[in-house]
Amino acid sequence: MREPVGLRKRGNPPTREPETWTRDLLDKVGWRVKAAHEPFRGVATSDGVRQDLFPLRATGADVRGVYRAAEEYLAGLTDKQLVAGRFPMDDESWRHWNNGARYFLRHGMLLEDFDDAQRERALAVVRESLSADGYGQMVDLMRLNLTIGELSDNTYGLNEWLYWFSLYGEPENGGPWGWQLDGHHVNINCVFVGDQMVLTPSFLGAEPVIAGSGKYAGTVAFRGEEALGHELFTRLDGGQRERAVLSDTMPEELFVGAFRDNFDLDYQGLRLGDMTPGQRDTALRLLGLYVNRAGDDHARVRMEEVRAHEGDTHFAWIGDPDGTFYYRFHSPVILVEFEHMPGVLFDNDYPSRRHIHTVVRTPNGNDFGVDLLRQHHERHHGAPRG
């Protein structure tokens, strides 16, 4: 479901009676809260969750920098901020992330409310987790959020610092921990179990995808994801396209966006194993744009995991390569979606290349690192988690 980007400015009273405004708010939030409260299973096919895909192990990834950044972030918070911005690993708020440009279901510390030093320490945790390209992409999307605010004359409700940062667990004690950055068009969940990292669910989007004016004029987003997706589809022959194409009608939204943690989605489309070597190379380069958002060591481990299931990875397509389109990669260990969306800022009811949504998930129970956390708990605490 698309969320309108128009927000009333903070501090202004509701334009309707409070009872009506509250009732409407509950209608919008209620199904989301219910979905987040369901026991977590993970995105899976109709055959159910496939087991034993994510072994708990040492990877050799260097995590000293990110652990140190997390400790420095926590040390810089006041007692009141620690209460508001730190959560146990099993807190349900993990699953409240959402793309809507609204204040409900938000938690943690708002970057806008930090002083410069605190904000930099929060961003350092993110920067140490991501690659240079991944961090740069995230910053660009946050800047494009300000561009939306400038174009809609609503920089109070849409700006580069209107993102909530939450830290989970105990990095200072070497235990499992993670962080979440949550706001409009940037929703990233990151979990560490030892030196293993899970960077899903990660939802990234932009409208507009090019800043033609304003403070960050010239900023662009998703050029590679769009161009390589187009290249891959146009390299397919007629028979391959018939297997890849799912429908003539674009979906209203991504299938596995926010509050779809337990969604059933069967494999569809063309297997990478049925592509030519050149086509597979393009497909893997495209997958790499999503995987390589993680820091180099973790991206290497993750790509090895993805490549191990290369033959079981499916590529699916909807739309017009010369117009707007949707594509999906789906394997036992990764699920990626890309879609050109109808406009909100530009108020068009048809998809356009000016508005893009993407999401990456780890299916079969390891979004939010849940499967790794289960194994960690069983190994070190002796009993399955309830």
Side-chain angles (χ1 to χ4, degrees), residues 156-195:
Y156 287 98
L158 293 159
N159 65 66
E160 64 186 305
W161 301 128
L162 201 66
Y163 294 89
W164 283 259
F165 183 77
S166 303
L167 194 137
Y168 296 80
E170 300 181 344
E172 70 273 36
N173 295 329
W177 70 282
W179 56 265
Q180 180 185 82
L181 188 66
D182 184 32
H184 186 233
H185 280 157
V186 175
N187 313 98
I188 305 175
N189 297 280
C190 182
V191 170
F192 291 91
V193 182
D195 66 4

mmCIF file of all heavy atoms in Angstrom, residues 156-195:
data_model
loop_
_atom_site.group_PDB
_atom_site.id
_atom_site.type_symbol
_atom_site.label_atom_id
_atom_site.label_comp_id
_atom_site.label_asym_id
_atom_site.label_seq_id
_atom_site.Cartn_x
_atom_site.Cartn_y
_atom_site.Cartn_z
ATOM 1 N N TYR A 156 9.534 20.323 6.989
ATOM 2 C CA TYR A 156 9.324 19.865 8.365
ATOM 3 C C TYR A 156 9.006 18.371 8.387
ATOM 4 O O TYR A 156 9.442 17.642 9.279
ATOM 5 C CB TYR A 156 8.173 20.633 9.021
ATOM 6 C CG TYR A 156 8.506 22.057 9.383
ATOM 7 C CD1 TYR A 156 8.144 23.097 8.543
ATOM 8 C CD2 TYR A 156 9.181 22.345 10.566
ATOM 9 C CE1 TYR A 156 8.449 24.412 8.863
ATOM 10 C CE2 TYR A 156 9.497 23.652 10.902
ATOM 11 C CZ TYR A 156 9.126 24.685 10.047
ATOM 12 O OH TYR A 156 9.438 25.978 10.365
ATOM 13 N N GLY A 157 8.224 17.919 7.406
ATOM 14 C CA GLY A 157 7.784 16.539 7.398
ATOM 15 C C GLY A 157 8.581 15.629 6.498
ATOM 16 O O GLY A 157 8.439 14.410 6.572
ATOM 17 N N LEU A 158 9.433 16.196 5.642
ATOM 18 C CA LEU A 158 10.227 15.410 4.706
ATOM 19 C C LEU A 158 11.599 16.063 4.591
ATOM 20 O O LEU A 158 11.745 17.111 3.953
ATOM 21 C CB LEU A 158 9.542 15.350 3.334
ATOM 22 C CG LEU A 158 8.228 14.567 3.293
ATOM 23 C CD1 LEU A 158 7.398 14.985 2.088
ATOM 24 C CD2 LEU A 158 8.495 13.074 3.261
ATOM 25 N N ASN A 159 12.588 15.460 5.232
ATOM 26 C CA ASN A 159 13.927 16.015 5.159
ATOM 27 C C ASN A 159 14.959 14.919 5.402
ATOM 28 O O ASN A 159 14.611 13.777 5.695
ATOM 29 C CB ASN A 159 14.110 17.183 6.141
ATOM 30 C CG ASN A 159 13.998 16.767 7.592
ATOM 31 O OD1 ASN A 159 14.826 16.016 8.100
ATOM 32 N ND2 ASN A 159 12.959 17.262 8.273
ATOM 33 N N GLU A 160 16.223 15.260 5.292
ATOM 34 C CA GLU A 160 17.280 14.245 5.315
ATOM 35 C C GLU A 160 17.537 13.668 6.696
ATOM 36 O O GLU A 160 18.233 12.642 6.804
ATOM 37 C CB GLU A 160 18.575 14.838 4.769
ATOM 38 C CG GLU A 160 19.143 15.975 5.598
ATOM 39 C CD GLU A 160 20.339 16.632 4.941
ATOM 40 O OE1 GLU A 160 21.304 15.906 4.610
ATOM 41 O OE2 GLU A 160 20.308 17.863 4.750
ATOM 42 N N TRP A 161 17.008 14.268 7.751
ATOM 43 C CA TRP A 161 17.262 13.755 9.100
ATOM 44 C C TRP A 161 16.007 13.198 9.761
ATOM 45 O O TRP A 161 16.040 12.879 10.943
ATOM 46 C CB TRP A 161 17.869 14.845 9.983
ATOM 47 C CG TRP A 161 19.159 15.402 9.467
ATOM 48 C CD1 TRP A 161 19.465 16.715 9.276
ATOM 49 C CD2 TRP A 161 20.319 14.660 9.073
ATOM 50 N NE1 TRP A 161 20.741 16.857 8.792
ATOM 51 C CE2 TRP A 161 21.297 15.600 8.642
ATOM 52 C CE3 TRP A 161 20.638 13.304 9.021
ATOM 53 C CZ2 TRP A 161 22.546 15.225 8.186
ATOM 54 C CZ3 TRP A 161 21.892 12.921 8.553
ATOM 55 C CH2 TRP A 161 22.829 13.879 8.155
ATOM 56 N N LEU A 162 14.921 13.042 9.016
ATOM 57 C CA LEU A 162 13.693 12.524 9.599
ATOM 58 C C LEU A 162 13.719 10.992 9.542
ATOM 59 O O LEU A 162 12.896 10.345 8.903
ATOM 60 C CB LEU A 162 12.480 13.081 8.869
ATOM 61 C CG LEU A 162 11.165 13.036 9.662
ATOM 62 C CD1 LEU A 162 11.225 13.965 10.872
ATOM 63 C CD2 LEU A 162 9.983 13.409 8.778
ATOM 64 N N TYR A 163 14.688 10.431 10.270
ATOM 65 C CA TYR A 163 14.896 8.981 10.327
ATOM 66 C C TYR A 163 15.173 8.582 11.768
ATOM 67 O O TYR A 163 15.897 9.281 12.485
ATOM 68 C CB TYR A 163 16.051 8.558 9.414
ATOM 69 C CG TYR A 163 15.719 8.784 7.962
ATOM 70 C CD1 TYR A 163 16.006 9.999 7.339
ATOM 71 C CD2 TYR A 163 15.061 7.800 7.230
ATOM 72 C CE1 TYR A 163 15.641 10.225 6.024
ATOM 73 C CE2 TYR A 163 14.692 8.017 5.916
ATOM 74 C CZ TYR A 163 14.992 9.234 5.318
ATOM 75 O OH TYR A 163 14.615 9.463 4.012
ATOM 76 N N TRP A 164 14.614 7.444 12.143
ATOM 77 C CA TRP A 164 14.713 6.966 13.521
ATOM 78 C C TRP A 164 15.762 5.856 13.605
ATOM 79 O O TRP A 164 15.701 4.877 12.857
ATOM 80 C CB TRP A 164 13.359 6.447 13.995
ATOM 81 C CG TRP A 164 12.396 7.542 14.339
ATOM 82 C CD1 TRP A 164 12.074 7.996 15.586
ATOM 83 C CD2 TRP A 164 11.601 8.314 13.430
ATOM 84 N NE1 TRP A 164 11.141 9.005 15.519
ATOM 85 C CE2 TRP A 164 10.834 9.221 14.196
ATOM 86 C CE3 TRP A 164 11.469 8.338 12.032
ATOM 87 C CZ2 TRP A 164 9.951 10.134 13.621
ATOM 88 C CZ3 TRP A 164 10.598 9.246 11.455
ATOM 89 C CH2 TRP A 164 9.844 10.133 12.247
ATOM 90 N N PHE A 165 16.696 6.018 14.533
ATOM 91 C CA PHE A 165 17.777 5.058 14.706
ATOM 92 C C PHE A 165 17.564 4.318 16.025
ATOM 93 O O PHE A 165 17.387 4.937 17.082
ATOM 94 C CB PHE A 165 19.133 5.768 14.718
ATOM 95 C CG PHE A 165 20.301 4.820 14.817
ATOM 96 C CD1 PHE A 165 20.715 4.102 13.709
ATOM 97 C CD2 PHE A 165 20.990 4.655 16.009
ATOM 98 C CE1 PHE A 165 21.792 3.225 13.778
ATOM 99 C CE2 PHE A 165 22.071 3.789 16.092
ATOM 100 C CZ PHE A 165 22.469 3.072 14.978
ATOM 101 N N SER A 166 17.574 3.001 15.956
ATOM 102 C CA SER A 166 17.397 2.157 17.141
ATOM 103 C C SER A 166 18.547 1.167 17.227
ATOM 104 O O SER A 166 18.974 0.623 16.201
ATOM 105 C CB SER A 166 16.079 1.383 17.063
ATOM 106 O OG SER A 166 14.978 2.260 16.924
ATOM 107 N N LEU A 167 19.022 0.925 18.427
ATOM 108 C CA LEU A 167 20.061 -0.072 18.638
ATOM 109 C C LEU A 167 19.515 -1.178 19.527
ATOM 110 O O LEU A 167 18.852 -0.913 20.534
ATOM 111 C CB LEU A 167 21.312 0.541 19.256
ATOM 112 C CG LEU A 167 22.546 -0.380 19.185
ATOM 113 C CD1 LEU A 167 23.782 0.388 18.776
ATOM 114 C CD2 LEU A 167 22.766 -1.089 20.518
ATOM 115 N N TYR A 168 19.790 -2.413 19.140
ATOM 116 C CA TYR A 168 19.271 -3.591 19.821
ATOM 117 C C TYR A 168 20.431 -4.430 20.360
ATOM 118 O O TYR A 168 21.492 -4.521 19.737
ATOM 119 C CB TYR A 168 18.451 -4.444 18.857
ATOM 120 C CG TYR A 168 17.204 -3.775 18.338
ATOM 121 C CD1 TYR A 168 17.277 -2.847 17.300
ATOM 122 C CD2 TYR A 168 15.959 -4.067 18.885
ATOM 123 C CE1 TYR A 168 16.132 -2.222 16.821
ATOM 124 C CE2 TYR A 168 14.804 -3.462 18.408
ATOM 125 C CZ TYR A 168 14.904 -2.532 17.369
ATOM 126 O OH TYR A 168 13.761 -1.918 16.901
ATOM 127 N N GLY A 169 20.216 -5.076 21.494
ATOM 128 C CA GLY A 169 21.198 -6.021 22.000
ATOM 129 C C GLY A 169 22.348 -5.380 22.738
ATOM 130 O O GLY A 169 22.265 -4.241 23.198
ATOM 131 N N GLU A 170 23.462 -6.117 22.826
ATOM 132 C CA GLU A 170 24.573 -5.730 23.688
ATOM 133 C C GLU A 170 25.910 -5.861 22.967
ATOM 134 O O GLU A 170 26.692 -6.787 23.235
ATOM 135 C CB GLU A 170 24.573 -6.591 24.952
ATOM 136 C CG GLU A 170 23.301 -6.472 25.773
ATOM 137 C CD GLU A 170 23.336 -7.323 27.026
ATOM 138 O OE1 GLU A 170 24.194 -8.223 27.106
ATOM 139 O OE2 GLU A 170 22.523 -7.076 27.925
ATOM 140 N N PRO A 171 26.226 -4.945 22.098
ATOM 141 C CA PRO A 171 27.517 -5.033 21.411
ATOM 142 C C PRO A 171 28.702 -4.916 22.368
ATOM 143 O O PRO A 171 29.763 -5.490 22.122
ATOM 144 C CB PRO A 171 27.479 -3.850 20.428
ATOM 145 C CG PRO A 171 26.470 -2.906 21.017
ATOM 146 C CD PRO A 171 25.445 -3.772 21.661
ATOM 147 N N GLU A 172 28.527 -4.199 23.469
ATOM 148 C CA GLU A 172 29.629 -4.007 24.408
ATOM 149 C C GLU A 172 29.992 -5.291 25.138
ATOM 150 O O GLU A 172 31.091 -5.401 25.684
ATOM 151 C CB GLU A 172 29.294 -2.888 25.414
ATOM 152 C CG GLU A 172 28.212 -3.217 26.422
ATOM 153 C CD GLU A 172 26.804 -2.928 25.918
ATOM 154 O OE1 GLU A 172 26.541 -3.123 24.716
ATOM 155 O OE2 GLU A 172 25.963 -2.527 26.737
ATOM 156 N N ASN A 173 29.078 -6.266 25.147
ATOM 157 C CA ASN A 173 29.347 -7.548 25.794
ATOM 158 C C ASN A 173 29.637 -8.658 24.804
ATOM 159 O O ASN A 173 29.764 -9.826 25.197
ATOM 160 C CB ASN A 173 28.151 -7.949 26.672
ATOM 161 C CG ASN A 173 27.953 -6.994 27.835
ATOM 162 O OD1 ASN A 173 28.908 -6.426 28.346
ATOM 163 N ND2 ASN A 173 26.707 -6.809 28.250
ATOM 164 N N GLY A 174 29.727 -8.322 23.528
ATOM 165 C CA GLY A 174 30.030 -9.317 22.511
ATOM 166 C C GLY A 174 28.858 -10.191 22.122
ATOM 167 O O GLY A 174 29.021 -11.161 21.373
ATOM 168 N N GLY A 175 27.680 -9.873 22.635
ATOM 169 C CA GLY A 175 26.499 -10.668 22.306
ATOM 170 C C GLY A 175 25.867 -10.233 21.003
ATOM 171 O O GLY A 175 26.294 -9.250 20.376
ATOM 172 N N PRO A 176 24.838 -10.949 20.544
ATOM 173 C CA PRO A 176 24.118 -10.534 19.345
ATOM 174 C C PRO A 176 23.562 -9.125 19.513
ATOM 175 O O PRO A 176 23.104 -8.747 20.599
ATOM 176 C CB PRO A 176 22.982 -11.562 19.234
ATOM 177 C CG PRO A 176 23.482 -12.765 19.964
ATOM 178 C CD PRO A 176 24.295 -12.215 21.103
ATOM 179 N N TRP A 177 23.606 -8.366 18.449
ATOM 180 C CA TRP A 177 23.097 -7.007 18.499
ATOM 181 C C TRP A 177 22.776 -6.545 17.085
ATOM 182 O O TRP A 177 23.057 -7.254 16.119
ATOM 183 C CB TRP A 177 24.114 -6.059 19.156
ATOM 184 C CG TRP A 177 25.351 -5.805 18.314
ATOM 185 C CD1 TRP A 177 26.417 -6.630 18.154
ATOM 186 C CD2 TRP A 177 25.607 -4.651 17.510
ATOM 187 N NE1 TRP A 177 27.343 -6.063 17.309
ATOM 188 C CE2 TRP A 177 26.873 -4.848 16.901
ATOM 189 C CE3 TRP A 177 24.909 -3.468 17.256
ATOM 190 C CZ2 TRP A 177 27.446 -3.903 16.048
ATOM 191 C CZ3 TRP A 177 25.472 -2.518 16.407
ATOM 192 C CH2 TRP A 177 26.741 -2.738 15.818
ATOM 193 N N GLY A 178 22.196 -5.390 16.983
ATOM 194 C CA GLY A 178 21.897 -4.866 15.659
ATOM 195 C C GLY A 178 21.372 -3.455 15.722
ATOM 196 O O GLY A 178 21.271 -2.850 16.806
ATOM 197 N N TRP A 179 21.050 -2.935 14.572
ATOM 198 C CA TRP A 179 20.512 -1.583 14.490
ATOM 199 C C TRP A 179 19.463 -1.506 13.395
ATOM 200 O O TRP A 179 19.410 -2.346 12.499
ATOM 201 C CB TRP A 179 21.603 -0.541 14.247
ATOM 202 C CG TRP A 179 22.464 -0.766 13.020
ATOM 203 C CD1 TRP A 179 23.674 -1.402 12.978
ATOM 204 C CD2 TRP A 179 22.169 -0.380 11.668
ATOM 205 N NE1 TRP A 179 24.155 -1.432 11.681
ATOM 206 C CE2 TRP A 179 23.261 -0.805 10.859
ATOM 207 C CE3 TRP A 179 21.115 0.293 11.062
ATOM 208 C CZ2 TRP A 179 23.307 -0.577 9.478
ATOM 209 C CZ3 TRP A 179 21.147 0.521 9.684
ATOM 210 C CH2 TRP A 179 22.246 0.090 8.913
ATOM 211 N N GLN A 180 18.641 -0.480 13.508
ATOM 212 C CA GLN A 180 17.609 -0.221 12.506
ATOM 213 C C GLN A 180 17.578 1.270 12.212
ATOM 214 O O GLN A 180 17.623 2.093 13.121
ATOM 215 C CB GLN A 180 16.238 -0.663 13.027
ATOM 216 C CG GLN A 180 15.078 -0.441 12.054
ATOM 217 C CD GLN A 180 13.745 -0.790 12.695
ATOM 218 O OE1 GLN A 180 13.175 0.014 13.431
ATOM 219 N NE2 GLN A 180 13.253 -1.999 12.431
ATOM 220 N N LEU A 181 17.517 1.607 10.936
ATOM 221 C CA LEU A 181 17.300 2.982 10.496
ATOM 222 C C LEU A 181 15.986 2.988 9.736
ATOM 223 O O LEU A 181 15.817 2.243 8.764
ATOM 224 C CB LEU A 181 18.448 3.466 9.607
ATOM 225 C CG LEU A 181 18.411 4.957 9.251
ATOM 226 C CD1 LEU A 181 18.610 5.819 10.502
ATOM 227 C CD2 LEU A 181 19.491 5.288 8.217
ATOM 228 N N ASP A 182 15.054 3.835 10.173
ATOM 229 C CA ASP A 182 13.663 3.708 9.725
ATOM 230 C C ASP A 182 13.084 5.075 9.404
ATOM 231 O O ASP A 182 13.083 5.984 10.238
ATOM 232 C CB ASP A 182 12.858 3.038 10.850
ATOM 233 C CG ASP A 182 11.416 2.772 10.475
ATOM 234 O OD1 ASP A 182 11.145 2.522 9.292
ATOM 235 O OD2 ASP A 182 10.565 2.808 11.380
ATOM 236 N N GLY A 183 12.576 5.224 8.195
ATOM 237 C CA GLY A 183 11.926 6.462 7.783
ATOM 238 C C GLY A 183 11.430 6.326 6.359
ATOM 239 O O GLY A 183 11.342 5.227 5.812
ATOM 240 N N HIS A 184 11.108 7.448 5.744
ATOM 241 C CA HIS A 184 10.550 7.425 4.399
ATOM 242 C C HIS A 184 11.615 7.079 3.373
ATOM 243 O O HIS A 184 12.614 7.766 3.242
ATOM 244 C CB HIS A 184 9.931 8.789 4.072
ATOM 245 C CG HIS A 184 9.216 8.818 2.765
ATOM 246 N ND1 HIS A 184 9.480 9.753 1.797
ATOM 247 C CD2 HIS A 184 8.249 8.008 2.255
ATOM 248 C CE1 HIS A 184 8.695 9.529 0.756
ATOM 249 N NE2 HIS A 184 7.944 8.480 1.000
ATOM 250 N N HIS A 185 11.411 5.967 2.671
ATOM 251 C CA HIS A 185 12.281 5.505 1.587
ATOM 252 C C HIS A 185 13.634 4.987 2.053
ATOM 253 O O HIS A 185 14.472 4.639 1.214
ATOM 254 C CB HIS A 185 12.481 6.599 0.523
ATOM 255 C CG HIS A 185 11.338 6.699 -0.432
ATOM 256 N ND1 HIS A 185 11.080 7.857 -1.151
ATOM 257 C CD2 HIS A 185 10.383 5.803 -0.802
ATOM 258 C CE1 HIS A 185 10.023 7.664 -1.919
ATOM 259 N NE2 HIS A 185 9.574 6.423 -1.719
ATOM 260 N N VAL A 186 13.874 4.907 3.341
ATOM 261 C CA VAL A 186 15.083 4.258 3.861
ATOM 262 C C VAL A 186 14.696 3.463 5.100
ATOM 263 O O VAL A 186 14.381 4.041 6.148
ATOM 264 C CB VAL A 186 16.192 5.268 4.207
ATOM 265 C CG1 VAL A 186 17.379 4.547 4.864
ATOM 266 C CG2 VAL A 186 16.664 6.019 2.965
ATOM 267 N N ASN A 187 14.688 2.151 4.962
ATOM 268 C CA ASN A 187 14.371 1.249 6.077
ATOM 269 C C ASN A 187 15.373 0.105 6.031
ATOM 270 O O ASN A 187 15.276 -0.779 5.188
ATOM 271 C CB ASN A 187 12.956 0.687 5.953
ATOM 272 C CG ASN A 187 11.916 1.749 5.645
ATOM 273 O OD1 ASN A 187 11.545 1.914 4.498
ATOM 274 N ND2 ASN A 187 11.458 2.463 6.648
ATOM 275 N N ILE A 188 16.351 0.146 6.932
ATOM 276 C CA ILE A 188 17.429 -0.840 6.925
ATOM 277 C C ILE A 188 17.490 -1.519 8.284
ATOM 278 O O ILE A 188 17.520 -0.853 9.322
ATOM 279 C CB ILE A 188 18.789 -0.184 6.613
ATOM 280 C CG1 ILE A 188 18.730 0.603 5.294
ATOM 281 C CG2 ILE A 188 19.890 -1.249 6.535
ATOM 282 C CD1 ILE A 188 20.010 1.369 4.978
ATOM 283 N N ASN A 189 17.519 -2.843 8.270
ATOM 284 C CA ASN A 189 17.682 -3.642 9.480
ATOM 285 C C ASN A 189 18.991 -4.410 9.378
ATOM 286 O O ASN A 189 19.259 -5.057 8.361
ATOM 287 C CB ASN A 189 16.522 -4.622 9.612
ATOM 288 C CG ASN A 189 15.190 -3.924 9.779
ATOM 289 O OD1 ASN A 189 14.846 -3.488 10.875
ATOM 290 N ND2 ASN A 189 14.427 -3.794 8.694
ATOM 291 N N CYS A 190 19.795 -4.345 10.418
ATOM 292 C CA CYS A 190 21.117 -4.972 10.400
ATOM 293 C C CYS A 190 21.349 -5.695 11.716
ATOM 294 O O CYS A 190 21.200 -5.100 12.788
ATOM 295 C CB CYS A 190 22.192 -3.901 10.192
ATOM 296 S SG CYS A 190 23.869 -4.545 10.103
ATOM 297 N N VAL A 191 21.712 -6.980 11.633
ATOM 298 C CA VAL A 191 21.921 -7.806 12.820
ATOM 299 C C VAL A 191 23.304 -8.450 12.763
ATOM 300 O O VAL A 191 23.723 -8.929 11.705
ATOM 301 C CB VAL A 191 20.842 -8.903 12.919
ATOM 302 C CG1 VAL A 191 21.182 -9.913 14.008
ATOM 303 C CG2 VAL A 191 19.475 -8.288 13.192
ATOM 304 N N PHE A 192 23.999 -8.463 13.901
ATOM 305 C CA PHE A 192 25.284 -9.134 14.038
ATOM 306 C C PHE A 192 25.160 -10.270 15.042
ATOM 307 O O PHE A 192 24.674 -10.077 16.168
ATOM 308 C CB PHE A 192 26.362 -8.167 14.523
ATOM 309 C CG PHE A 192 26.746 -7.123 13.512
ATOM 310 C CD1 PHE A 192 26.083 -5.900 13.482
ATOM 311 C CD2 PHE A 192 27.745 -7.363 12.580
ATOM 312 C CE1 PHE A 192 26.424 -4.940 12.543
ATOM 313 C CE2 PHE A 192 28.085 -6.419 11.640
ATOM 314 C CZ PHE A 192 27.429 -5.197 11.615
ATOM 315 N N VAL A 193 25.593 -11.443 14.638
ATOM 316 C CA VAL A 193 25.728 -12.581 15.542
ATOM 317 C C VAL A 193 27.171 -13.054 15.389
ATOM 318 O O VAL A 193 27.533 -13.662 14.388
ATOM 319 C CB VAL A 193 24.745 -13.713 15.202
ATOM 320 C CG1 VAL A 193 24.888 -14.857 16.203
ATOM 321 C CG2 VAL A 193 23.306 -13.202 15.183
ATOM 322 N N GLY A 194 28.006 -12.724 16.367
ATOM 323 C CA GLY A 194 29.438 -12.939 16.186
ATOM 324 C C GLY A 194 29.921 -12.066 15.041
ATOM 325 O O GLY A 194 29.693 -10.858 15.021
ATOM 326 N N ASP A 195 30.596 -12.696 14.051
ATOM 327 C CA ASP A 195 31.040 -11.910 12.907
ATOM 328 C C ASP A 195 30.143 -12.124 11.684
ATOM 329 O O ASP A 195 30.483 -11.728 10.575
ATOM 330 C CB ASP A 195 32.502 -12.207 12.563
ATOM 331 C CG ASP A 195 32.742 -13.629 12.067
ATOM 332 O OD1 ASP A 195 31.762 -14.394 11.904
ATOM 333 O OD2 ASP A 195 33.915 -13.985 11.851
#
